[in-house]
Amino acid sequence: MGDPRRRSASAQAAVLRSCAEIMRDRGPAAVSIEGVARAAGVGKQTIYRWWPSRGALLVDAMVAGRGEVEIDVVDTGDLAADLRAMLVAVIRVITGEHGPLLASLLGEMQQDVGLRAAFDEAIFEPVRGSYRARLRTARASSGTAGWPDDDTILDLAFGPLWFRLLTRPGHLDEGFAYDVAGLVARALGLEDAARG
Amino acid sequence: MGDPRRRSASAQAAVLRSCAEIMRDRGPAAVSIEGVARAAGVGKQTIYRWWPSRGALLVDAMVAGRGEVEIDVVDTGDLAADLRAMLVAVIRVITGEHGPLLASLLGEMQQDVGLRAAFDEAIFEPVRGSYRARLRTARASSGTAGWPDDDTILDLAFGPLWFRLLTRPGHLDEGFAYDVAGLVARALGLEDAARG
Amino acid sequence: MGDPRRRSASAQAAVLRSCAEIMRDRGPAAVSIEGVARAAGVGKQTIYRWWPSRGALLVDAMVAGRGEVEIDVVDTGDLAADLRAMLVAVIRVITGEHGPLLASLLGEMQQDVGLRAAFDEAIFEPVRGSYRARLRTARASSGTAGWPDDDTILDLAFGPLWFRLLTRPGHLDEGFAYDVAGLVARALGLEDAARG
Amino acid sequence: MGDPRRRSASAQAAVLRSCAEIMRDRGPAAVSIEGVARAAGVGKQTIYRWWPSRGALLVDAMVAGRGEVEIDVVDTGDLAADLRAMLVAVIRVITGEHGPLLASLLGEMQQDVGLRAAFDEAIFEPVRGSYRARLRTARASSGTAGWPDDDTILDLAFGPLWFRLLTRPGHLDEGFAYDVAGLVARALGLEDAARG
DNA sequence: TCTTAACCGAGACGGTACGTCCAGTCTTGTA
DNA sequence: TACAAGACTGGACGTACCGTCTCGGTTAAGA
């Protein structure tokens, strides 16, 4: 990706487009290299040349196709509010069009290290990075004495949302994000963040 | 009752045994109906007859093969301590032999509703049920005024562990269970549960 | 071939028929397993199951499709005449519809031991066997003192015909068979066999 | 002449060398344009530029690599002896290092007219031409009244050897060349040429 | 000396076919 | 009649090459 040897932009665009179409129409499980190549009018080798695994192609197709996976982490000075905003943004993404796809990819990456890397890099790392930065600012203030490390806080906040996406996706809504945000805020001793 | 299935008992046992062996030796992704049938000395039809999907077979093989997936939820009267004990037990299961398998199954059930049901029933529901009962007892006490509903608490507690299993399995350890337990306890206002 | 495990006669008939059609229409070089399977409406595996190599399939298709490859070796008591009759029969076969196919197969068997065996068994051995028997009778008579062994005689008789098929197929005709038969007869001292 | 091809000389040499190596090491069937280009450090286009077909390349590589394919036809005045010498020389070539290669090429030329031409020109024509000249001398003598035309004689002599190369290469030896030479001599009425 | 066009290596491109694995269904013969 | 065995059609895998087609980067010719 971003490889300077890349020659035929049109072939690759066709691949991503066809892959995205198949994902949209028949689900990510229906994506096969063979099928994408056929739909894109492209040789299989061309796909194998530029994507290391089926999963990497899926991630690419999702990310390239949409900017909607973006999560903004803002700093309003109120950590609890910022946390809530972020979790609501996450909920919106995972309950949106790409929710089932994200769940499938998260599942599929359990068996595909290439996909794991691609998915981490494209989906998780940006948000984790941003929120880590936000936490750094927060730690500069007082009242963070008993806090665990960043990753624990991140998993405490994100974990419930993704877990529910995977196990009971029908129960995902913004209220859940509010609840989780409130609970995490209270766990961190941000008392004013208590819901209501 | 004159159960016509009686004759199949040994065939089914052989299937489960072979499936478990393949999972153990080569991972769950290496399990195919064809391969299990061959290893079990069983006709493919026999597998299709008794299991609705490949995933259901995987769950059955895991559950039947081992009682280790059991999580006991006890009531010592100290909710925070019980929570911690439960999460440690969960961590032990998901960092144990079956961890990768559980992760794979959780992933695979994203594309297989039969597997979702089987997995829920075999893995999640028992623990959720037990802990729901434990929470019912707790709610009978005072100091639970601001609590969210059971499912939110459950996902807040379980979510971080399973999420980390799926995304950064190398960072799972008992300390993480302790941290999460402490944070959840604090979020629920069980102040004495704060770690340290 | 002749395997008692064989189940679906219709699938195999379809394979042979399609293979024969492709050979006839587009030449033996155009035969591919994939193409035959497609044309026959058969899974590739079914072909791989019953034929060890592409070449064996070609031979089977040719032999199964036609009885014309048969060469009768008769014993009129006149060895020279019988030889001539046989060579004429050979010429008719190799200048007929299947000539180019036979040439291709003879070529292809240079790189495919399975094909070599199949071709030998189906094409060469029957004639060689018959003519060997004819020679045995002849050797029982007098005047065979200086004769070389059977195989040398066979190659002396057949060799020129097949060699010309491979190298200058346009020059094959019955006259050539007559000439070769006459020369071989003279080489064997069957003076009355001299042409004219 | 200002030959623009001059610069390509080294590339062409590398191609022939690599092709010969592959033929030697892994057999002619293992030669592919792609593989030769890779081994020779040459662009595929360069091969397509200078050789019309894979077969032409094979012939070139064989001929260029070795002068051993040469057959000398001498005129000692004794036609039978000269014939025997020639057939022995042929046997030496086709039982030598290049035997299987020659057989494969003879086979492959059944499907490749370009190869047929190249092979004829490089392998058969020189010997046929020389021996045709030798026969012309012989015909100037007496005792050739009943002879068939040159090509028939040539095929009668060469055919058995090449045919055996293709069909039963393990049975090729000098004795066979002697036998064939003797029989052909007798067929032509060169009585003194009879073996023994 | 400086273009400039042919030729070079490299390898991407759309394709076809390979031989294998497995899915899910269907068939045969045994106990 | 349930079973093992495995054949069936079919789809996909990942690889090897095909022959064509750009790419830049040397040459070596004539301007």
Side-chain angles (χ1 to χ4, degrees), chain C residues 29 103 107-111 116 124 128 148 151-152 155-156 159-160 162-164 166-169 183 186-187, chain D residues 29 103 107-111 116 124 128 148 151-152 155-156 158-160 162-164 166-169 183 186-187:
Chain C
E108 222 159 313
M109 86 185 202
Q110 301 308 315
Q111 336 224 206
R116 179 182 292 276
F124 289 131
R128 293 181 82 93
D151 284 329
T152 299
D155 288 344
L156 186 74
W162 285 94
F163 181 61
R164 188 169 277 199
L166 294 172
T167 55
R168 293 155 63 246
L183 288 161
R186 186 177 299 195
Chain D
E108 221 159 313
M109 85 185 203
Q110 301 308 314
Q111 334 223 211
R116 179 181 293 276
F124 290 131
R128 292 182 83 92
D151 284 329
T152 299
D155 288 344
L156 187 74
F158 291 134
W162 285 94
F163 181 60
R164 188 169 277 199
L166 293 172
T167 55
R168 293 157 62 246
L183 288 160
R186 187 178 300 195

Side-chain angles (χ1 to χ4, degrees), chain D residues 40 52 66 119 129 137 141 148 165 188 190:
Chain D
R66 305 285 175 159
F119 196 77
T137 307
S141 323
L165 171 68
L188 295 177
L190 310 170

Side-chain angles (χ1 to χ4, degrees), chain D residues 6-7 31-35 38 44-45 48 54:
Chain D
R6 201 172 318 152
R7 186 146 82 83
V31 172
S32 69
I33 302 286
E34 193 118 6
R38 202 182 310 126
K44 284 203 288 179
Q45 204 62 256
Y48 284 110
R54 175 178 165 286

Side-chain angles (χ1 to χ4, degrees), chain D residues 13-73:
Chain D
V15 166
L16 291 174
R17 198 180 323 118
S18 296
C19 180
E21 263 167 38
I22 295 173
M23 281 197 291
R24 171 163 36 77
D25 298 346
R26 297 190 292 138
V31 172
S32 69
I33 302 286
E34 193 118 6
V36 171
R38 202 182 310 126
V42 138
K44 284 203 288 179
Q45 204 62 256
T46 301
I47 298 181
Y48 284 110
R49 209 176 343 253
W50 301 114
W51 285 274
S53 75
R54 175 178 165 286
L57 172 59
L58 294 182
V59 173
D60 251 32
M62 185 180 59
V63 170
R66 305 285 175 159
E68 297 174 8
V69 182
E70 301 291 304
I71 308 278
D72 288 329
V73 177

Side-chain angles (χ1 to χ4, degrees), chain B residues 32-34 38 44-45 48 54:
Chain B
S32 67
I33 302 287
E34 191 117 8
R38 202 182 309 126
K44 284 203 289 178
Q45 205 61 257
Y48 285 109
R54 176 179 165 284

Side-chain angles (χ1 to χ4, degrees), chain B residues 105-194:
Chain B
L105 291 175
L106 185 49
E108 221 158 316
M109 86 187 200
Q110 302 308 314
Q111 334 222 211
D112 179 341
V113 291
L115 176 54
R116 179 181 295 276
F119 196 77
D120 273 348
E121 185 189 347
I123 308 295
F124 291 131
E125 273 317 311
V127 194
R128 293 181 82 93
S130 300
Y131 203 69
R132 235 188 299 258
R134 180 65 188 82
L135 284 176
R136 205 175 307 128
T137 306
R139 283 190 200 271
S141 323
S142 60
T144 66
W147 285 15
D149 63 37
D150 285 359
D151 283 331
T152 299
I153 299 175
L154 286 164
D155 287 345
L156 187 74
F158 291 134
L161 275 57
W162 285 93
F163 181 60
R164 188 168 278 199
L165 171 68
L166 293 172
T167 56
R168 295 156 60 247
H171 297 78
L172 277 178
D173 56 30
E174 291 197 15
F176 182 60
Y178 267 75
D179 289 347
V180 171
L183 288 160
V184 172
R186 187 178 297 195
L188 295 178
L190 310 171
E191 287 309 313
D192 54 327

